[in-house]
Amino acid sequence: MARTVITGGTVVTATETMEADVLIDGEVVAGIAAAGEHGWAEGADRVIDASGKYVIPGAIDVHTHFELPFGGTFVSDSFETGTRAGAHGGTTSIVDFAVQVKGERVMEGFENWMRKAEGNCAIDYGFHMIVGDINDESLKEMDAIVDEGVTSFKLFMAYPGVLYSDDGEIFRAMQQAADSGTTIMMHAENGIAIDVLREQAVARGETDPKYHTVTRPPATESEAVHRAITLAELAGAPLYVVHMSAKEAVVELTEARDRGLNVFGETCPQYLFLSWEDHVSAPGFEGAKYVCSTPIRPRSEGHQEYLWNALARGDLQIVSTDHAGFFYDDDETMGRQKRLGEGNFTLIPNGLPGVEERLNVMYQGGVVEGRLSLNRWVDVCCTTPAKMFGMYPNKGTIAVGSDADIVVYDPSASFVYTPDTIHMNIDYTAYDGMEINGKPDVVLSRGKVVVENDQYVGRKGDGRYLKRGTSDCLI
Ligand code: URP
Ligand code: ZN
Ligand code: ZN
């Protein structure tokens, strides 16, 4: 088994910052010690010099969508291209969403997604299950699928007629989750009210991309979050609210957490950096690039600042990406994607790319610009995702016995995001023009170097399926 030593770096975990060397034996961390207290370099197969760099746990993105059929097309990244791009950005595990559609068995949906991913991933991967057809059979299958390592289920209060579930269905699924100790993930928006607002906007001729945000006002999110919390409390189920963007919704979550409920929330970089004024309202059709749900909100309403503060003080626990990219311009292979909605914003496929940029933009906006400590950056991008979704301590930290998923992060590097500096299968980056003062220098996945010198040096299929346990975050 190959022995690798990472020397001279500053090891940063969610709770500690220390000058230490790290010994990797095969796929796991075998030792952490101060330089001079060990003789690991002798006999090592490889020594990685991390002087002046941070040594952090590989980042974990618990919300990606690869190869998802959505909005009349497919997400443009496959498991191969998406996980490789993630590795470039320092992400060493993803948790994607397998989908059960109407009329299908839960297990069929899971097997379909396993087939898409198997043998194609650059990094380790797991699945949440979207239960799109809640009935007696699928409720039983929610229990059975726990044996396959699927311990979290996403439900939708949005998208009526597609993935939407009504309150009764949601409540039954929550009761099932309460029994099995699993977690309900909620897309919390009042989809019924939103559909009325969308229809009325289009009838008035309000068809530009900017009306996507206008027809999903904060109350459509906060009402749904409140209702989801109420149902989860009644059922006694843990609740994790995905892609939160409205400050009013975070207020609901915070109030429930203060009452001691097992409710958790994630936000995504697009809500922390982008705004309705500068992005969704861009001239022409450009705003379509930033159409996602929940929507990117007006900066003037103070959501961004509120979300950053909520992350810093722990009212929000995780930053994921909700990666769901669609080409802006027509693509030879993917065809018409965002442009499906030219002339009618309701037909723009919802979603943004981002699996590659998360760790870097969070370093820039969080650590460099003083909104998050180094440890909190690691916590929200690496550690709490692992704890929340049953992967800790194998993933999400650097400790003896943990998987050697490690990023040597160079705070002296700098670069600018442009369509030419990304590796995702897409023609734009949501962070175009953003300067990043930091960069993954070397990325290791279970002890193997997969990215160095800006090159992907791993192999398709290196990623292993993650059978996850239940959450470690519950009180
Ligand atoms: O706009 C989004 N979020 N697209 C992806 C699907 C979802 O709702 O997570
Ligand atoms: Zn969603
Ligand atoms: Zn999503």
Side-chain angles (χ1 to χ4, degrees):
M1 279 211 285
R3 280 165 75 86
T4 303
V5 188
I6 302 174
T7 61
T10 303
V11 174
V12 183
T13 68
T15 50
E16 280 180 295
T17 306
M18 56 195 159
E19 309 303 312
D21 296 351
V22 178
L23 172 67
I24 298 167
D25 194 2
E27 296 193 347
V28 296
V29 173
I32 303 169
E37 285 182 5
H38 61 78
W40 293 338
E42 285 145 42
D45 297 285
R46 173 145 189 207
V47 176
I48 296 172
D49 180 8
S51 308
K53 295 170 188 156
Y54 299 125
V55 179
I56 65 168
I60 302 178
D61 190 348
V62 292
H63 191 154
T64 66
H65 301 280
F66 301 135
E67 299 183 36
L68 174 74
F70 199 61
T73 179
F74 280 81
V75 167
S76 63
D77 271 298
S78 63
F79 281 89
E80 181 183 350
T81 63
T83 56
R84 197 168 55 216
H88 273 285
T91 290
T92 53
S93 300
I94 55 119
V95 187
D96 203 271
F97 290 81
V99 185
Q100 175 221 18
V101 293
K102 288 252 180 285
E104 193 179 42
R105 287 184 39 243
V106 169
M107 212 51 95
E108 271 175 73
F110 173 67
E111 283 160 8
N112 286 341
W113 255 261
M114 281 295 269
R115 267 193 297 277
K116 292 178 198 228
E118 248 170 354
N120 289 319
C121 292
I123 53 176
D124 291 352
Y125 62 99
F127 286 110
H128 314 285
M129 191 78 222
I130 289 175
V131 188
D133 192 358
I134 298 168
N135 52 46
D136 290 344
E137 179 74 18
S138 48
L139 289 170
K140 276 194 218 119
E141 284 190 283
M142 280 175 66
D143 280 358
I145 206 165
V146 171
D147 294 338
E148 305 295 329
V150 177
T151 53
S152 38
F153 301 92
K154 186 179 179 191
L155 309 178
F156 289 78
M157 298 168 119
Y159 309 138
V162 190
L163 293 165
Y164 173 85
S165 297
D166 67 27
D167 287 1
E169 291 166 334
I170 287 170
F171 186 56
R172 292 182 76 201
M174 284 176 165
Q175 288 178 320
Q176 201 74 28
D179 282 351
S180 60
T182 54
T183 300
I184 293 292
M185 305 172 80
M186 190 62 76
H187 180 133
E189 287 187 294
N190 187 322
I192 302 284
I194 287 168
D195 267 10
V196 174
L197 293 173
R198 277 151 69 93
E199 216 173 276
Q200 291 169 342
V202 172
R204 285 193 297 269
E206 296 168 353
T207 55
D208 288 347
K210 67 180 175 189
Y211 292 106
H212 176 76
T213 295
V214 175
T215 54
R216 304 178 106 87
T220 60
E221 184 181 342
S222 58
E223 181 279 329
V225 169
H226 183 92
R227 190 158 31 103
I229 291 168
T230 305
L231 295 172
E233 186 175 8
L234 265 176
L239 174 71
Y240 177 92
V241 184
V242 297
H243 48 51
M244 297 190 76
S245 66
K247 62 179 192 285
E248 294 84 349
V250 180
V251 169
E252 295 286 349
L253 191 85
T254 306
E255 188 272 335
R257 287 175 60 78
D258 288 348
R259 287 197 291 117
L261 296 182
N262 274 316
V263 299
F264 308 88
E266 71 170 21
T267 190
C268 312
Q270 54 267 37
Y271 305 121
L272 296 164
F273 292 98
L274 310 183
S275 70
W276 182 74
E277 292 89 337
D278 297 339
H279 299 89
V280 193
S281 297
F285 190 60
E286 189 80 10
K289 290 178 177 173
Y290 312 102
V291 164
C292 58
S293 297
T294 61
I296 289 164
R297 300 196 179 277
R299 188 191 299 277
S300 59
E301 292 176 2
H303 302 285
Q304 276 189 7
E305 209 189 334
Y306 198 92
L307 294 175
W308 276 112
N309 287 335
L311 264 182
R313 57 173 189 255
D315 290 338
L316 287 172
Q317 293 75 46
I318 288 178
V319 175
S320 69
T321 63
D322 192 12
H323 176 99
F326 301 96
F327 277 85
Y328 177 63
D329 279 318
D330 296 353
D331 177 65
E332 235 172 64
T333 311
M334 301 307 300
R336 253 173 124 61
Q337 299 216 290
K338 286 288 185 185
R339 288 200 182 269
L340 284 167
E342 255 175 329
N344 182 349
F345 75 90
T346 67
L347 301 178
I348 300 169
N350 284 202
L352 254 69
V355 69
E356 181 168 356
E357 301 102 322
R358 179 185 60 133
L359 188 67
N360 284 324
V361 296
M362 289 307 296
Y363 181 74
Q364 177 65 31
V367 180
V368 176
E369 294 173 16
R371 297 181 183 98
L372 301 178
S373 69
L374 260 180
N375 305 97
R376 188 68 185 144
W377 168 59
V378 168
D379 196 4
V380 299
C381 292
C382 317
T383 310
T384 299
K387 288 183 174 169
M388 185 72 226
F389 291 107
M391 295 176 272
Y392 187 85
N394 289 352
K395 306 290 189 193
T397 194
I398 299 177
V400 173
S402 294
D403 286 357
D405 292 354
I406 293 176
V407 178
V408 178
Y409 198 84
D410 185 357
S412 69
S414 67
F415 70 102
V416 175
Y417 271 123
T418 71
D420 294 331
T421 56
I422 56 165
H423 303 84
M424 299 173 290
N425 182 41
I426 193 142
D427 56 354
Y428 74 98
T429 161
Y431 309 99
D432 204 351
M434 183 167 170
E435 183 176 327
I436 309 291
N437 293 287
K439 195 180 200 181
D441 189 36
V442 183
V443 180
L444 296 100
S445 168
R446 278 184 284 101
K448 179 176 170 179
V449 172
V450 291
V451 172
E452 61 182 330
N453 303 320
D454 285 333
Q455 299 300 312
Y456 174 66
V457 295
R459 260 180 323 140
K460 156 179 154 159
D462 276 350
R464 190 182 287 165
Y465 176 64
L466 289 165
K467 265 195 167 192
R468 296 179 297 111
T470 50
S471 180
D472 287 315
C473 290
L474 308 188
I475 44 173

